Amino acid sequence: ATVAQSPPPRPPPQQGHPAASPPSRQDPRLLARVVELAFAGRCVGEIDRQLHLEGFLTSTGTPWPRSNDGRVVVRALFRAGVAPLPGGDARVARYVKELQEKGYGRAARGG
């Protein structure tokens, strides 16, 4: 008979997102670049465009799209504890609000 072992304890949640949030599937270099661009004052759309120009890949290994909805960038910023700047994009602003209502970004600081 095998004895069921309990799963290892989860590490403490990162600042800025709910504990139930799964870890990011994105390349850590991409995540670092997203935060770097946000601290340089870039809005979500500008960050997305820059990731495309710099040749980053998505979590599935395809080239970062030229045009994107900003959701990955918004989640990455919240996970890093950085407040996303919608930059006048209503879709991004709605997504930021939706995630905030779910508990993301409570400890987020401005970029």
Side-chain angles (χ1 to χ4, degrees):
T2 54
V3 177
Q5 295 182 352
S6 60
R10 286 185 69 160
Q14 293 176 342
Q15 183 179 18
H17 67 89
S21 177
S24 178
R25 297 177 313 212
Q26 301 300 328
D27 182 320
R29 293 170 296 185
L30 178 137
L31 298 173
R33 185 65 173 136
V34 166
V35 171
E36 179 183 15
L37 291 167
F39 278 128
R42 301 297 253 321
C43 72
V44 171
E46 292 169 331
I47 293 171
D48 261 333
R49 284 187 289 284
Q50 190 64 37
L51 296 175
H52 170 76
L53 290 173
E54 292 179 16
F56 278 95
L57 301 177
T58 67
S59 62
T60 61
T62 59
W64 198 265
R66 184 173 320 153
S67 177
N68 210 343
D69 64 7
R71 289 174 176 254
V72 171
V73 170
V74 168
R75 287 191 307 271
L77 290 172
F78 275 141
R79 281 189 172 98
V82 179
L85 297 175
D89 186 324
R91 290 176 310 164
V92 171
R94 277 192 303 272
Y95 189 59
V96 167
K97 183 178 181 193
E98 177 184 316
L99 288 182
Q100 286 171 329
E101 289 170 354
K102 291 180 179 180
Y104 281 73
R106 292 206 174 121
R109 56 194 184 278

Short mmCIF file of all heavy atoms in Angstrom, two decimals, residues 26-87:
data_model
loop_
_atom_site.label_atom_id
_atom_site.label_comp_id
_atom_site.label_asym_id
_atom_site.label_seq_id
_atom_site.Cartn_x
_atom_site.Cartn_y
_atom_site.Cartn_z
N GLN A 26 5.60 32.88 -18.43
CA GLN A 26 6.45 33.70 -19.27
C GLN A 26 7.93 33.58 -18.88
O GLN A 26 8.26 33.33 -17.72
CB GLN A 26 6.02 35.17 -19.20
CG GLN A 26 4.60 35.43 -19.61
CD GLN A 26 4.31 35.03 -21.04
OE1 GLN A 26 5.16 35.09 -21.92
NE2 GLN A 26 3.08 34.60 -21.29
N ASP A 27 8.79 33.80 -19.85
CA ASP A 27 10.24 33.80 -19.64
C ASP A 27 10.59 34.88 -18.61
O ASP A 27 10.12 36.02 -18.73
CB ASP A 27 10.91 34.11 -20.98
CG ASP A 27 12.41 34.09 -20.93
OD1 ASP A 27 13.00 34.58 -19.95
OD2 ASP A 27 13.01 33.62 -21.91
N PRO A 28 11.40 34.56 -17.62
CA PRO A 28 11.77 35.56 -16.61
C PRO A 28 12.43 36.81 -17.21
O PRO A 28 12.27 37.91 -16.69
CB PRO A 28 12.76 34.81 -15.70
CG PRO A 28 12.42 33.38 -15.88
CD PRO A 28 11.93 33.24 -17.29
N ARG A 29 13.14 36.65 -18.34
CA ARG A 29 13.75 37.83 -18.99
C ARG A 29 12.68 38.75 -19.54
O ARG A 29 12.80 39.97 -19.48
CB ARG A 29 14.71 37.39 -20.09
CG ARG A 29 15.95 36.66 -19.54
CD ARG A 29 16.74 36.04 -20.64
NE ARG A 29 15.88 35.01 -21.25
CZ ARG A 29 16.25 34.19 -22.19
NH1 ARG A 29 17.45 34.27 -22.69
NH2 ARG A 29 15.43 33.27 -22.66
N LEU A 30 11.61 38.16 -20.09
CA LEU A 30 10.49 38.97 -20.59
C LEU A 30 9.85 39.71 -19.43
O LEU A 30 9.58 40.91 -19.53
CB LEU A 30 9.47 38.07 -21.30
CG LEU A 30 8.24 38.81 -21.82
CD1 LEU A 30 7.89 38.32 -23.20
CD2 LEU A 30 7.06 38.63 -20.89
N LEU A 31 9.62 39.02 -18.32
CA LEU A 31 8.99 39.65 -17.16
C LEU A 31 9.84 40.80 -16.63
O LEU A 31 9.32 41.87 -16.30
CB LEU A 31 8.73 38.61 -16.07
CG LEU A 31 7.78 37.47 -16.47
CD1 LEU A 31 7.74 36.42 -15.38
CD2 LEU A 31 6.40 38.00 -16.78
N ALA A 32 11.15 40.60 -16.59
CA ALA A 32 12.04 41.66 -16.13
C ALA A 32 11.98 42.86 -17.08
O ALA A 32 11.98 44.02 -16.63
CB ALA A 32 13.47 41.14 -16.03
N ARG A 33 11.90 42.60 -18.38
CA ARG A 33 11.84 43.69 -19.36
C ARG A 33 10.52 44.45 -19.23
O ARG A 33 10.49 45.68 -19.33
CB ARG A 33 12.00 43.13 -20.78
CG ARG A 33 12.06 44.19 -21.84
CD ARG A 33 13.28 45.06 -21.70
NE ARG A 33 13.40 45.98 -22.83
CZ ARG A 33 13.71 47.27 -22.70
NH1 ARG A 33 14.00 47.78 -21.52
NH2 ARG A 33 13.76 48.02 -23.77
N VAL A 34 9.43 43.74 -18.98
CA VAL A 34 8.12 44.39 -18.79
C VAL A 34 8.20 45.37 -17.62
O VAL A 34 7.78 46.53 -17.73
CB VAL A 34 7.02 43.33 -18.55
CG1 VAL A 34 5.74 43.97 -18.01
CG2 VAL A 34 6.72 42.58 -19.84
N VAL A 35 8.77 44.93 -16.51
CA VAL A 35 8.88 45.79 -15.33
C VAL A 35 9.80 46.96 -15.61
O VAL A 35 9.51 48.11 -15.26
CB VAL A 35 9.35 44.97 -14.11
CG1 VAL A 35 9.67 45.88 -12.93
CG2 VAL A 35 8.28 43.96 -13.72
N GLU A 36 10.92 46.70 -16.28
CA GLU A 36 11.86 47.77 -16.63
C GLU A 36 11.18 48.85 -17.47
O GLU A 36 11.34 50.05 -17.21
CB GLU A 36 13.04 47.16 -17.38
CG GLU A 36 14.08 48.15 -17.82
CD GLU A 36 15.19 47.50 -18.64
OE1 GLU A 36 15.04 46.36 -19.12
OE2 GLU A 36 16.22 48.17 -18.82
N LEU A 37 10.42 48.42 -18.47
CA LEU A 37 9.71 49.38 -19.33
C LEU A 37 8.65 50.14 -18.55
O LEU A 37 8.45 51.35 -18.77
CB LEU A 37 9.11 48.66 -20.53
CG LEU A 37 10.13 48.13 -21.54
CD1 LEU A 37 9.46 47.16 -22.52
CD2 LEU A 37 10.80 49.28 -22.29
N ALA A 38 7.96 49.47 -17.64
CA ALA A 38 6.94 50.15 -16.83
C ALA A 38 7.59 51.22 -15.95
O ALA A 38 7.07 52.33 -15.83
CB ALA A 38 6.19 49.15 -15.97
N PHE A 39 8.74 50.90 -15.35
CA PHE A 39 9.42 51.89 -14.51
C PHE A 39 9.97 53.05 -15.34
O PHE A 39 10.23 54.12 -14.80
CB PHE A 39 10.52 51.24 -13.68
CG PHE A 39 10.00 50.60 -12.43
CD1 PHE A 39 10.32 49.29 -12.13
CD2 PHE A 39 9.19 51.29 -11.54
CE1 PHE A 39 9.83 48.68 -10.98
CE2 PHE A 39 8.70 50.69 -10.39
CZ PHE A 39 9.03 49.39 -10.11
N ALA A 40 10.13 52.82 -16.64
CA ALA A 40 10.54 53.90 -17.53
C ALA A 40 9.35 54.76 -17.96
O ALA A 40 9.49 55.68 -18.77
CB ALA A 40 11.26 53.33 -18.75
N GLY A 41 8.15 54.43 -17.44
CA GLY A 41 6.96 55.23 -17.72
C GLY A 41 6.16 54.78 -18.92
O GLY A 41 5.27 55.50 -19.37
N ARG A 42 6.46 53.61 -19.48
CA ARG A 42 5.74 53.13 -20.66
C ARG A 42 4.39 52.55 -20.27
O ARG A 42 4.25 51.86 -19.26
CB ARG A 42 6.53 52.03 -21.37
CG ARG A 42 7.93 52.41 -21.84
CD ARG A 42 8.01 53.49 -22.85
NE ARG A 42 8.34 53.29 -24.22
CZ ARG A 42 9.20 52.49 -24.78
NH1 ARG A 42 9.86 51.62 -24.09
NH2 ARG A 42 9.40 52.51 -26.06
N CYS A 43 3.37 52.81 -21.09
CA CYS A 43 2.04 52.24 -20.86
C CYS A 43 2.01 50.82 -21.41
O CYS A 43 2.94 50.37 -22.10
CB CYS A 43 0.96 53.11 -21.50
SG CYS A 43 0.91 53.04 -23.30
N VAL A 44 0.95 50.10 -21.12
CA VAL A 44 0.83 48.69 -21.49
C VAL A 44 0.99 48.48 -23.00
O VAL A 44 1.73 47.60 -23.44
CB VAL A 44 -0.51 48.10 -20.99
CG1 VAL A 44 -0.75 46.71 -21.55
CG2 VAL A 44 -0.54 48.08 -19.46
N GLY A 45 0.33 49.29 -23.81
CA GLY A 45 0.44 49.15 -25.27
C GLY A 45 1.85 49.38 -25.77
O GLY A 45 2.33 48.68 -26.67
N GLU A 46 2.53 50.37 -25.21
CA GLU A 46 3.92 50.63 -25.59
C GLU A 46 4.82 49.46 -25.20
O GLU A 46 5.73 49.10 -25.95
CB GLU A 46 4.42 51.91 -24.93
CG GLU A 46 3.75 53.16 -25.45
CD GLU A 46 4.06 54.40 -24.61
OE1 GLU A 46 4.30 54.27 -23.40
OE2 GLU A 46 4.06 55.49 -25.21
N ILE A 47 4.57 48.89 -24.04
CA ILE A 47 5.36 47.73 -23.59
C ILE A 47 5.14 46.57 -24.55
O ILE A 47 6.11 45.93 -24.99
CB ILE A 47 5.01 47.35 -22.15
CG1 ILE A 47 5.45 48.45 -21.19
CG2 ILE A 47 5.65 46.01 -21.78
CD1 ILE A 47 4.96 48.27 -19.77
N ASP A 48 3.89 46.29 -24.90
CA ASP A 48 3.60 45.22 -25.85
C ASP A 48 4.34 45.44 -27.17
O ASP A 48 4.96 44.52 -27.70
CB ASP A 48 2.09 45.15 -26.13
CG ASP A 48 1.40 44.05 -25.33
OD1 ASP A 48 2.05 43.06 -24.97
OD2 ASP A 48 0.19 44.20 -25.09
N ARG A 49 4.28 46.66 -27.71
CA ARG A 49 4.95 46.94 -28.98
C ARG A 49 6.47 46.76 -28.86
O ARG A 49 7.11 46.22 -29.77
CB ARG A 49 4.61 48.35 -29.47
CG ARG A 49 3.20 48.44 -30.06
CD ARG A 49 2.92 49.79 -30.70
NE ARG A 49 2.78 50.88 -29.75
CZ ARG A 49 1.71 51.10 -28.98
NH1 ARG A 49 0.67 50.28 -29.07
NH2 ARG A 49 1.66 52.11 -28.16
N GLN A 50 7.03 47.18 -27.75
CA GLN A 50 8.47 47.06 -27.56
C GLN A 50 8.89 45.60 -27.47
O GLN A 50 9.93 45.21 -28.01
CB GLN A 50 8.91 47.83 -26.31
CG GLN A 50 10.40 47.95 -26.17
CD GLN A 50 11.03 48.77 -27.29
OE1 GLN A 50 10.46 49.75 -27.76
NE2 GLN A 50 12.20 48.34 -27.74
N LEU A 51 8.09 44.77 -26.79
CA LEU A 51 8.41 43.34 -26.70
C LEU A 51 8.44 42.72 -28.10
O LEU A 51 9.30 41.89 -28.40
CB LEU A 51 7.39 42.62 -25.81
CG LEU A 51 7.39 43.04 -24.34
CD1 LEU A 51 6.26 42.32 -23.60
CD2 LEU A 51 8.72 42.78 -23.68
N HIS A 52 7.51 43.14 -28.96
CA HIS A 52 7.49 42.66 -30.34
C HIS A 52 8.75 43.11 -31.08
O HIS A 52 9.43 42.30 -31.72
CB HIS A 52 6.23 43.17 -31.07
CG HIS A 52 6.28 42.91 -32.54
ND1 HIS A 52 6.06 41.67 -33.08
CD2 HIS A 52 6.54 43.75 -33.57
CE1 HIS A 52 6.18 41.75 -34.39
NE2 HIS A 52 6.48 42.99 -34.72
N LEU A 53 9.08 44.39 -30.95
CA LEU A 53 10.25 44.93 -31.64
C LEU A 53 11.55 44.26 -31.19
O LEU A 53 12.47 44.09 -31.98
CB LEU A 53 10.35 46.44 -31.42
CG LEU A 53 9.29 47.29 -32.11
CD1 LEU A 53 9.38 48.74 -31.66
CD2 LEU A 53 9.43 47.18 -33.62
N GLU A 54 11.62 43.89 -29.92
CA GLU A 54 12.83 43.28 -29.38
C GLU A 54 12.88 41.77 -29.62
O GLU A 54 13.84 41.12 -29.24
CB GLU A 54 12.95 43.59 -27.89
CG GLU A 54 13.21 45.07 -27.64
CD GLU A 54 13.33 45.44 -26.18
OE1 GLU A 54 13.52 44.54 -25.32
OE2 GLU A 54 13.23 46.64 -25.89
N GLY A 55 11.83 41.21 -30.25
CA GLY A 55 11.85 39.81 -30.63
C GLY A 55 11.58 38.82 -29.52
O GLY A 55 11.97 37.65 -29.61
N PHE A 56 10.89 39.25 -28.47
CA PHE A 56 10.55 38.31 -27.40
C PHE A 56 9.56 37.28 -27.92
O PHE A 56 8.84 37.51 -28.90
CB PHE A 56 9.94 39.06 -26.20
CG PHE A 56 10.99 39.67 -25.31
CD1 PHE A 56 11.36 40.99 -25.48
CD2 PHE A 56 11.60 38.92 -24.32
CE1 PHE A 56 12.33 41.56 -24.67
CE2 PHE A 56 12.57 39.47 -23.50
CZ PHE A 56 12.93 40.80 -23.67
N LEU A 57 9.52 36.13 -27.22
CA LEU A 57 8.60 35.06 -27.57
C LEU A 57 7.52 34.94 -26.52
O LEU A 57 7.74 35.26 -25.34
CB LEU A 57 9.35 33.73 -27.67
CG LEU A 57 10.49 33.66 -28.69
CD1 LEU A 57 11.18 32.31 -28.62
CD2 LEU A 57 9.98 33.95 -30.09
N THR A 58 6.35 34.44 -26.93
CA THR A 58 5.27 34.17 -25.99
C THR A 58 5.62 32.91 -25.20
O THR A 58 6.60 32.23 -25.50
CB THR A 58 3.94 33.94 -26.73
OG1 THR A 58 4.05 32.73 -27.48
CG2 THR A 58 3.58 35.11 -27.64
N SER A 59 4.78 32.56 -24.24
CA SER A 59 5.02 31.36 -23.43
C SER A 59 4.93 30.08 -24.27
O SER A 59 5.43 29.04 -23.86
CB SER A 59 4.03 31.29 -22.26
OG SER A 59 2.71 31.20 -22.75
N THR A 60 4.32 30.17 -25.44
CA THR A 60 4.23 28.99 -26.32
C THR A 60 5.35 28.96 -27.35
O THR A 60 5.39 28.06 -28.19
CB THR A 60 2.86 28.94 -27.03
OG1 THR A 60 2.73 30.11 -27.85
CG2 THR A 60 1.72 28.83 -26.04
N GLY A 61 6.24 29.95 -27.32
CA GLY A 61 7.38 29.97 -28.21
C GLY A 61 7.17 30.68 -29.53
O GLY A 61 8.05 30.68 -30.39
N THR A 62 6.02 31.30 -29.73
CA THR A 62 5.78 32.05 -30.96
C THR A 62 6.25 33.50 -30.76
O THR A 62 6.32 33.98 -29.63
CB THR A 62 4.29 32.05 -31.35
OG1 THR A 62 3.53 32.64 -30.28
CG2 THR A 62 3.80 30.63 -31.60
N PRO A 63 6.56 34.20 -31.84
CA PRO A 63 6.99 35.60 -31.71
C PRO A 63 5.91 36.44 -31.02
O PRO A 63 4.72 36.24 -31.22
CB PRO A 63 7.19 36.06 -33.15
CG PRO A 63 7.45 34.80 -33.92
CD PRO A 63 6.62 33.74 -33.23
N TRP A 64 6.36 37.39 -30.19
CA TRP A 64 5.43 38.29 -29.52
C TRP A 64 4.65 39.04 -30.59
O TRP A 64 5.24 39.60 -31.51
CB TRP A 64 6.20 39.28 -28.64
CG TRP A 64 5.31 39.92 -27.64
CD1 TRP A 64 4.67 41.11 -27.76
CD2 TRP A 64 4.92 39.39 -26.36
NE1 TRP A 64 3.90 41.36 -26.64
CE2 TRP A 64 4.04 40.32 -25.78
CE3 TRP A 64 5.21 38.22 -25.69
CZ2 TRP A 64 3.47 40.11 -24.53
CZ3 TRP A 64 4.65 38.02 -24.44
CH2 TRP A 64 3.79 38.96 -23.88
N PRO A 65 3.31 39.03 -30.53
CA PRO A 65 2.52 39.65 -31.59
C PRO A 65 2.73 41.16 -31.70
O PRO A 65 2.98 41.83 -30.71
CB PRO A 65 1.07 39.34 -31.21
CG PRO A 65 1.10 38.80 -29.84
CD PRO A 65 2.49 38.45 -29.48
N ARG A 66 2.62 41.64 -32.93
CA ARG A 66 2.76 43.08 -33.18
C ARG A 66 1.64 43.84 -32.47
O ARG A 66 1.83 44.91 -31.94
CB ARG A 66 2.69 43.32 -34.69
CG ARG A 66 2.91 44.76 -35.08
CD ARG A 66 2.99 44.90 -36.58
NE ARG A 66 3.76 43.76 -37.09
CZ ARG A 66 3.63 43.25 -38.30
NH1 ARG A 66 2.80 43.77 -39.14
NH2 ARG A 66 4.34 42.21 -38.67
N SER A 67 0.45 43.27 -32.49
CA SER A 67 -0.71 43.88 -31.84
C SER A 67 -1.21 42.89 -30.80
O SER A 67 -1.42 41.72 -31.11
CB SER A 67 -1.78 44.15 -32.89
OG SER A 67 -2.93 44.68 -32.28
N ASN A 68 -1.41 43.36 -29.58
CA ASN A 68 -1.78 42.48 -28.49
C ASN A 68 -2.82 43.17 -27.63
O ASN A 68 -2.94 44.39 -27.65
CB ASN A 68 -0.53 42.15 -27.68
CG ASN A 68 -0.58 40.80 -27.02
OD1 ASN A 68 -1.63 40.19 -26.89
ND2 ASN A 68 0.57 40.33 -26.58
N ASP A 69 -3.55 42.40 -26.82
CA ASP A 69 -4.59 42.99 -25.98
C ASP A 69 -4.06 43.50 -24.64
O ASP A 69 -4.80 44.08 -23.86
CB ASP A 69 -5.75 42.02 -25.76
CG ASP A 69 -5.37 40.77 -24.99
OD1 ASP A 69 -4.23 40.68 -24.48
OD2 ASP A 69 -6.23 39.87 -24.89
N GLY A 70 -2.80 43.26 -24.33
CA GLY A 70 -2.19 43.80 -23.12
C GLY A 70 -2.39 42.97 -21.86
O GLY A 70 -1.85 43.29 -20.81
N ARG A 71 -3.15 41.89 -21.95
CA ARG A 71 -3.47 41.12 -20.74
C ARG A 71 -2.24 40.49 -20.09
O ARG A 71 -2.11 40.51 -18.87
CB ARG A 71 -4.51 40.04 -21.06
CG ARG A 71 -5.88 40.63 -21.33
CD ARG A 71 -6.87 39.56 -21.78
NE ARG A 71 -8.18 40.16 -21.94
CZ ARG A 71 -9.19 39.97 -21.08
NH1 ARG A 71 -9.04 39.19 -20.05
NH2 ARG A 71 -10.34 40.55 -21.28
N VAL A 72 -1.34 39.95 -20.88
CA VAL A 72 -0.14 39.33 -20.31
C VAL A 72 0.70 40.39 -19.59
O VAL A 72 1.18 40.17 -18.48
CB VAL A 72 0.69 38.61 -21.40
CG1 VAL A 72 2.04 38.16 -20.86
CG2 VAL A 72 -0.09 37.43 -21.96
N VAL A 73 0.84 41.54 -20.22
CA VAL A 73 1.63 42.62 -19.61
C VAL A 73 0.98 43.10 -18.32
O VAL A 73 1.65 43.28 -17.30
CB VAL A 73 1.82 43.79 -20.61
CG1 VAL A 73 2.42 45.01 -19.93
CG2 VAL A 73 2.69 43.34 -21.77
N VAL A 74 -0.33 43.27 -18.32
CA VAL A 74 -1.04 43.72 -17.11
C VAL A 74 -0.83 42.71 -15.98
O VAL A 74 -0.48 43.10 -14.85
CB VAL A 74 -2.54 43.93 -17.40
CG1 VAL A 74 -3.33 44.11 -16.11
CG2 VAL A 74 -2.74 45.12 -18.32
N ARG A 75 -1.02 41.43 -16.26
CA ARG A 75 -0.83 40.41 -15.21
C ARG A 75 0.62 40.39 -14.72
O ARG A 75 0.87 40.27 -13.52
CB ARG A 75 -1.25 39.03 -15.72
CG ARG A 75 -2.75 38.87 -15.84
CD ARG A 75 -3.16 37.43 -16.07
NE ARG A 75 -2.50 36.80 -17.20
CZ ARG A 75 -2.94 36.82 -18.45
NH1 ARG A 75 -4.07 37.44 -18.75
NH2 ARG A 75 -2.28 36.22 -19.42
N ALA A 76 1.56 40.51 -15.63
CA ALA A 76 2.98 40.51 -15.24
C ALA A 76 3.29 41.68 -14.32
O ALA A 76 4.01 41.54 -13.33
CB ALA A 76 3.87 40.55 -16.48
N LEU A 77 2.73 42.84 -14.63
CA LEU A 77 2.98 44.01 -13.80
C LEU A 77 2.35 43.84 -12.42
O LEU A 77 2.98 44.14 -11.40
CB LEU A 77 2.47 45.28 -14.49
CG LEU A 77 3.29 45.69 -15.72
CD1 LEU A 77 2.61 46.82 -16.46
CD2 LEU A 77 4.71 46.06 -15.32
N PHE A 78 1.11 43.36 -12.37
CA PHE A 78 0.48 43.14 -11.07
C PHE A 78 1.28 42.13 -10.25
O PHE A 78 1.47 42.30 -9.06
CB PHE A 78 -0.96 42.67 -11.23
CG PHE A 78 -1.95 43.79 -11.38
CD1 PHE A 78 -3.01 43.67 -12.26
CD2 PHE A 78 -1.85 44.96 -10.64
CE1 PHE A 78 -3.95 44.69 -12.39
CE2 PHE A 78 -2.78 45.98 -10.76
CZ PHE A 78 -3.82 45.84 -11.64
N ARG A 79 1.75 41.05 -10.90
CA ARG A 79 2.54 40.05 -10.17
C ARG A 79 3.82 40.67 -9.60
O ARG A 79 4.30 40.23 -8.56
CB ARG A 79 2.90 38.90 -11.10
CG ARG A 79 1.79 37.93 -11.30
CD ARG A 79 2.28 36.69 -12.06
NE ARG A 79 1.24 35.70 -12.08
CZ ARG A 79 0.41 35.51 -13.09
NH1 ARG A 79 0.50 36.25 -14.15
NH2 ARG A 79 -0.52 34.58 -13.02
N ALA A 80 4.37 41.64 -10.30
CA ALA A 80 5.59 42.31 -9.84
C ALA A 80 5.30 43.42 -8.85
O ALA A 80 6.22 44.06 -8.35
CB ALA A 80 6.35 42.85 -11.05
N GLY A 81 4.01 43.69 -8.60
CA GLY A 81 3.64 44.75 -7.67
C GLY A 81 3.72 46.13 -8.28
O GLY A 81 3.88 47.12 -7.58
N VAL A 82 3.59 46.21 -9.61
CA VAL A 82 3.67 47.49 -10.32
C VAL A 82 2.30 47.81 -10.93
O VAL A 82 1.69 46.95 -11.57
CB VAL A 82 4.74 47.43 -11.44
CG1 VAL A 82 4.81 48.73 -12.21
CG2 VAL A 82 6.10 47.06 -10.87
N ALA A 83 1.84 49.03 -10.74
CA ALA A 83 0.55 49.44 -11.29
C ALA A 83 0.67 49.65 -12.80
O ALA A 83 1.49 50.45 -13.26
CB ALA A 83 0.08 50.73 -10.62
N PRO A 84 -0.14 48.93 -13.60
CA PRO A 84 -0.10 49.11 -15.05
C PRO A 84 -0.68 50.46 -15.46
O PRO A 84 -1.65 50.93 -14.87
CB PRO A 84 -0.97 47.99 -15.60
CG PRO A 84 -1.34 47.14 -14.44
CD PRO A 84 -1.06 47.89 -13.19
N LEU A 85 -0.09 51.07 -16.48
CA LEU A 85 -0.63 52.31 -17.04
C LEU A 85 -1.39 51.96 -18.31
O LEU A 85 -0.79 51.53 -19.29
CB LEU A 85 0.52 53.28 -17.39
CG LEU A 85 1.38 53.76 -16.23
CD1 LEU A 85 2.54 54.60 -16.75
CD2 LEU A 85 0.53 54.54 -15.25
N PRO A 86 -2.74 52.12 -18.33
CA PRO A 86 -3.52 51.77 -19.52
C PRO A 86 -3.19 52.62 -20.74
O PRO A 86 -3.39 52.19 -21.86
CB PRO A 86 -4.97 51.97 -19.08
CG PRO A 86 -4.93 51.88 -17.59
CD PRO A 86 -3.59 52.43 -17.19
N GLY A 87 -2.72 53.85 -20.54
CA GLY A 87 -2.34 54.69 -21.67
C GLY A 87 -3.49 55.06 -22.58
O GLY A 87 -3.31 55.19 -23.78
#
